[in-house]
Each structure stands twice: as structure tokens, then as C-alpha cells.
């Protein structure tokens, strides 16, 4: 599905006029990641908002013993932001992969 179609289906962006959604897409930074690549590591200041156009992202936390807990996951059409999007003093509590 195309990003504009995904935008239309979200509660946050779906209420915007088509011209506003087009302007957001025009200003967006499009990034592609390989499977297994990290978007952010736990403890980093990550002040971004992301809208997932395709694929999946897992928010994970690792224990000192190396065990990995998937706190949540995101799929195409999902919207997510780091806690430092609202407060630049706060670091990511999870890794995004």
C-alpha cells in the first residue's frame, strides 16, 4: 500500500485534509532499513516520529543475561515516536529493530 493510502487510514493523519497529508509526505524523510538493522538503541536520545510504510519493527529490551523481551511490535501503517520527541532529556527505554 502506498504511504498516502496508509496516512488516510490512520487516526492521526486521516483527519487531515488531503493537501496537508501531501505536505507532510513531501517533508518526510524516507529511510529504508535492512532486516535486523537497528533504528535506535535503548538508552539513546531518539527524538523522532516514524510512520511505518512497510515491514515490521520490534521494540525490544535485553536483560544483562542477554535475554530479549519484545515489548511491542509495529506493522505497516503504525505510528511511533521516541519519548524524547516530547522531552529531549529522556532516552529510549527500548531498542527499535
Amino acid at each position: 500500500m502506498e504511504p498516502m493510502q496508509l496516512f488516510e487510514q490512520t487516526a492521526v493523519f486521516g483527519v487531515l485534509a488531503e493537501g496537508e497529508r501531501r505536505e507532510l509526505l513531501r517533508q518526510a524523510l524516507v529511510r529504508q532499513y535492512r532486516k535486523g538493522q537497528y533504528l535506535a538503541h535503548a538508552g539513546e536520545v531518539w527524538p523522532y516520529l516514524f510512520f511505518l510504510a512497510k515491514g515490521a519493527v520490534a521494540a525490544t529490551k535485553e536483560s544483562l543475561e542477554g535475554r530479549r523481551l519484545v515489548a511491542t511490535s509495529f506493522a505497516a501503517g503504525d505510528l511511533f515516536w521516541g519519548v524524547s520527541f516530547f522531552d529531549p532529556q529522556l532516552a529510549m527505554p527500548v531498542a527499535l529493530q
Side-chain angles (χ1 to χ4, degrees):
M1 191 174 297
E2 292 297 315
M4 181 57 85
Q5 292 170 311
L6 289 170
F7 261 27
E8 292 169 357
Q9 294 176 7
T10 66
V12 173
F13 299 123
V15 297
L16 299 175
E18 183 177 345
E20 292 170 317
R21 287 192 301 268
R22 286 191 191 287
E23 180 61 20
L24 275 175
L25 282 173
R26 187 186 71 72
Q27 293 184 34
L29 297 175
V30 177
R31 302 250 169 92
Q32 293 183 6
Y33 295 91
R34 294 181 311 279
K35 185 175 182 175
Q37 186 176 358
Y38 283 87
L39 282 73
H41 294 276
E44 288 182 340
V45 172
W46 194 76
Y48 306 106
L49 177 135
F50 83 77
F51 179 75
L52 191 58
K54 66 179 180 177
V57 171
T60 62
K61 187 80 173 173
E62 279 196 33
S63 71
L64 295 174
E65 297 84 25
R67 290 183 300 210
R68 184 172 174 246
L69 169 73
V70 176
T72 192
S73 58
F74 304 96
D78 286 344
L79 185 66
F80 180 81
W81 49 89
V83 291
S84 54
F85 183 78
F86 297 104
D87 184 343
Q89 303 291 323
L90 298 176
M92 288 293 288
V94 295
L96 299 175
Q97 185 178 20

